[in-house]
Amino acid sequence: QKEVEQDPGPLSVPEGAIVSLNCTYSNSAFQYFMWYRQYSRKGPELLMYTYSSGNKEDGRFTAQVDKSSKYISLFIRDSQPSDSATYLCAMSPNNNAGNMLTFGGGTRLMVKP
Amino acid sequence: GAGVSQTPSNKVTEKGKYVELRCDPISGHTALYWYRQSLGQGPEFLIYFQGTGAADDSGLPNDRFFAVRPEGSVSTLKIQRTERGDSAVYLCASSLTGPLGDTGELFFGEGSRLTVL
């Protein structure tokens, strides 16, 4: 079993829908949680960064962390065709330790106009 | 340049050949990382440089893989005796380093897509 599990999708939604993306993990040492967006044939780019449990909102994006359930979510409101990409969750036991990041396999999202 | 630059963008080679992949990080970023992303998977950590030295090479899969960063800027990932299982996208990322040695947000390049026939 992988340390970080993520449904690969694809997830297809109509424009304007609310999207929910999720990851589960098994390592209780993870304290820092990130969501990356990766367009086709591009590198991942950081979308959201949260520490420990709780919610964080940035525009149309909301990240939630539930450490008791080892479950994290990314919500996208008013989804746009430009949101079509692969979304990767990533976790680390230490702050901004790029050598300790564990990524999920990614969920491919398609937003149809 | 404005972002992390990786060359070549695509490389096709035959089993057993030697390959070099180059990464030019964002100017001023002292931390540099190599990740490998197989098809349908998330990136997996290979090696981390702080300046010229490899601070953590625990992700390198075996001794066929080696990376250098001789002047603390450009880095080269070297793969000897390539195998079909080495086929993947090799991503490079760079970040700033704080005064306490903590590293900041990772900025990824577009990757080098390696295909071993």
Side-chain angles (χ1 to χ4, degrees), chain B residues 52-90:
Chain B
T52 60
D56 183 356
D57 65 358
S58 62
L60 294 177
N62 52 59
D63 61 6
R64 296 187 297 105
F65 288 75
F66 189 71
V68 296
R69 195 186 184 197
E71 297 178 358
S73 179
V74 171
S75 175
T76 304
L77 178 66
K78 307 180 180 194
I79 310 173
Q80 297 178 320
R81 304 183 303 281
T82 51
E83 299 177 358
R84 292 191 181 89
D86 298 335
S87 296
V89 176
Y90 289 82

Side-chain angles (χ1 to χ4, degrees), chain B residues 5-25:
Chain B
S5 176
Q6 291 189 246
T7 55
S9 54
N10 282 285
K11 175 72 176 178
V12 180
T13 191
E14 294 180 341
K15 181 175 178 294
K17 299 291 187 182
Y18 170 79
V19 166
E20 288 191 352
L21 307 175
R22 175 190 165 106
C23 173
D24 196 346

